[in-house]
Amino acid sequence: FDLVVTNFDKEYNALYKNKAGASGALTFEYSTFRMGLQGFGQNQTGWGVSWFDLDMDSHLDLMTAQGKAPVNDLQTDREM
């Protein structure tokens, strides 16, 4: 399995490719730039991520839920 980490706005979401070998050691390689995901969702906060076969071609697709939580007043919106 690969690992995806979503982040706050102005931070990159990160993709880590699974590089486990025959030894079974759990090893990941940072692959965000190599896979072309560096600008993906950079202006929004990532709320969640999932792998599923959206187009039913037997290859897993990456879906993220992203958005913004506006904070207008730090005194009244501090719960956010």
Side-chain angles (χ1 to χ4, degrees), residues 66-80:
Q66 299 180 169
K68 291 188 180 236
V71 176
N72 299 318
D73 183 347
L74 292 177
Q75 294 299 318
T76 60
D77 295 339
R78 76 175 74 206
E79 294 85 25
M80 300 178 87

Side-chain angles (χ1 to χ4, degrees), residues 20-38:
S23 68
L26 196 57
T27 306
F28 292 94
E29 175 181 83
Y30 183 75
S31 300
T32 303
F33 287 86
R34 187 159 38 104
M35 298 302 291
L37 296 176
Q38 66 271 16

Side-chain angles (χ1 to χ4, degrees), residues 19-75:
K19 293 294 187 181
S23 68
L26 196 57
T27 306
F28 292 94
E29 175 181 83
Y30 183 75
S31 300
T32 303
F33 287 86
R34 187 159 38 104
M35 298 302 291
L37 296 176
Q38 66 271 16
F40 182 63
Q42 191 177 8
N43 293 325
Q44 298 179 338
T45 299
W47 301 111
V49 63
S50 181
W51 295 98
F52 69 101
D53 188 7
L54 179 64
D55 53 6
M56 294 190 279
D57 64 354
S58 74
H59 298 286
L60 291 178
D61 303 304
L62 175 66
M63 188 200 80
T64 63
Q66 299 180 169
K68 291 188 180 236
V71 176
N72 299 318
D73 183 347
L74 292 177
Q75 294 299 318

